[in-house]
Amino acid sequence: MAGVRTAVALRDEAYTGPLTLIGAEPHQPYDRPPLSKAVLLGTAEHSAFGIDFEALDVTLRLGLPVTGLRPADREVDTGAGPVPYDVLVVATGAEPLTLPGSRGVPGVHLLRTLDDAARLRPVLARQHDVVVVGAGWIGAEFATAARAAGCAVTVVEAADRPLAGALPAEVTAPMARWYAGSGATLLTGARVARVEPGTVVLTDGRRLPAGAVVVGIGARPATGWLDGSGIALGPDGSVTADARLRTSAPGVYAVGDCASYPSARYGARLLVHHWDNALQGPRTVAADITAAGGTGAAEPYDPVPYFWSEQFGRFVQYAGHHAAADTLLWRGDPADDAWTVLWLRGGALVALLAVGRPRDLTQGRKLVESGRVLDPLRAADPAVPLKSAVR
């Protein structure tokens, strides 16, 4: 998404020079969210972008991994030899973490690429017993698809609750109940000791039948190929881009899952592994590249982060960044099918999670952007439109 949208945005900004898009995968550029939904369940064969790259005069070099970067020479190294550049945009995304000791074990899968989804589709069609390691966003989405396909599903989570790294305990408590409601088994506080063919063995000795094991324990920026380049990376492995998504090397930008950026809105450096970030960042990059002399006409990149997830028959949306909030408000009963959580700081909305309440999300996202202070009593009333809760 980030690479493709950067190419499109450059043409939209009237950039007329040559454009080359290099990708390690052999497939036409495609969208990733459908991989855990329609593509996985076989209701769609692919999720290729409907973009005419020839009409855009964009050269695609597919199936070509980039192995290194030499900023002093303005060249990237590839398996087909060096490729020169005037300006380089790094949009290599993130790579999933693997389960220690599981590499090479038959039946162990990741879900990040089109090929991953293609390998998993017959697993679901045969209705295997499936063990999902990790109760994060991707684990929940895969468990949803596997249950829809008729598989017996057990989700193993090392933390004491799902989404432990993303949301506070009081918010994830009702979400934990969704697993049982769908017929999936959720085991929290459970760690995998090893994976054997057909079996997952937990550290407490329990043995779980597993015709397939799907690992969803997080992802890390795909920046290993930048070792030795001099490009500054953060402790999390992300490229430390500035407010216009420029890296520490002249003429090199970074966008999407591989890059962190400073947010003045939240007073923190953010690493956002979500689709919307890969959609929005390219506009800033393209505007800055096309600015006269590279003087930086682009506005600083500081959007309200946003993502969505479809799981267990629910549409879940999140906007903002709640880490520095001082107040949490509920709109609705979490035992119901639809509810919202609001996070405030100094009375202003800084983030919200909406379950089955898309209007709350739409209005709340605008309120986060504006920084308006809310009346907490009215904001907590689900019958009051969120936009009407402004003081």
Side-chain angles (χ1 to χ4, degrees):
M1 169 64 81
V4 167
R5 295 313 306 177
T6 299
V8 172
L10 281 165
R11 292 303 188 215
D12 287 345
E13 291 284 344
Y15 176 76
T16 58
L19 266 176
T20 301
L21 186 61
I22 300 175
E25 294 184 61
H27 310 290
Q28 284 287 309
Y30 61 88
D31 205 8
R32 293 192 189 277
L35 298 185
S36 61
K37 305 171 184 71
V39 174
L40 186 63
L41 289 172
T43 57
E45 286 299 315
H46 59 77
S47 55
F49 293 112
I51 294 172
D52 188 338
F53 291 101
E54 185 175 353
L56 283 176
D57 194 20
V58 174
T59 299
L60 295 181
R61 300 192 66 180
L62 305 177
L64 183 63
V66 174
T67 57
L69 168 62
R70 290 175 285 111
D73 299 325
R74 297 224 169 192
E75 288 184 338
V76 291
D77 293 319
T78 76
V83 176
Y85 66 84
D86 294 313
V87 176
L88 175 69
V89 180
V90 177
T92 46
E95 51 197 4
L97 300 177
T98 58
L99 187 66
S102 67
R103 191 180 297 275
V105 177
V108 177
H109 300 264
L110 300 169
L111 181 52
R112 180 72 180 180
T113 68
L114 185 61
D115 289 338
D116 291 337
R119 284 188 288 268
L120 277 165
R121 193 155 56 188
V123 171
L124 298 193
R126 291 193 294 268
Q127 298 185 335
H128 280 294
D129 289 339
V130 175
V131 172
V132 180
V133 182
W137 299 111
I138 192 66
E141 290 188 1
F142 180 80
T144 299
R147 285 298 301 138
C151 299
V153 178
T154 301
V155 181
V156 177
E157 171 56 52
D160 61 353
R161 63 186 190 277
L163 296 167
L167 297 170
E170 61 265 45
V171 176
T172 60
M175 302 171 83
R177 295 191 288 268
W178 297 351
Y179 287 80
S182 76
T185 299
L186 173 63
L187 303 178
T188 57
R191 293 182 176 275
V192 175
R194 63 186 182 277
V195 180
E196 302 172 351
T199 305
V200 172
V201 183
L202 304 183
T203 53
D204 62 8
R206 281 180 289 179
R207 301 176 66 87
L208 308 176
V213 179
V214 177
V215 179
I217 55 176
R220 183 175 176 83
T223 55
W225 65 281
L226 291 171
D227 288 349
S229 68
I231 298 286
L233 304 180
D236 53 14
S238 67
V239 177
T240 54
D242 69 7
R244 295 202 299 276
L245 300 179
R246 300 173 300 183
T247 75
S248 60
V252 180
Y253 294 77
V255 65
D257 289 6
C258 68
S260 63
Y261 61 90
S263 170
R265 185 190 312 277
Y266 292 107
R269 176 166 285 275
L270 301 184
L271 174 61
V272 180
H273 280 187
H274 293 297
W275 184 91
D276 192 64
N277 179 47
L279 175 70
Q280 295 203 58
R283 298 169 188 156
T284 295
V285 170
D288 204 68
I289 289 173
T290 55
T295 54
E299 292 293 320
Y301 184 65
D302 198 8
V304 175
Y306 167 75
F307 73 88
W308 81 96
S309 177
E310 295 176 77
Q311 51 184 268
F312 309 118
R314 294 166 174 85
F315 187 45
V316 182
Q317 295 174 283
Y318 178 96
H321 181 66
H322 68 269
D326 54 39
T327 302
L328 184 151
L329 296 177
W330 288 89
R331 280 171 62 83
D333 187 341
D336 294 339
D337 289 335
W339 45 271
T340 296
V341 173
L342 309 176
W343 285 273
L344 310 181
R345 184 177 65 212
L349 186 66
V350 294
L352 73 159
L353 176 81
V355 177
R357 292 181 63 94
R359 186 172 297 177
D360 278 0
L361 191 288
T362 301
Q363 296 179 10
R365 192 176 185 181
K366 293 178 180 177
L367 290 172
V368 174
E369 288 176 348
S370 70
R372 300 283 297 276
V373 173
L374 302 184
D375 178 332
L377 291 179
R378 289 179 60 78
D381 185 347
V384 174
L386 202 48
K387 65 181 181 181
S388 300
V390 175
R391 278 185 168 169

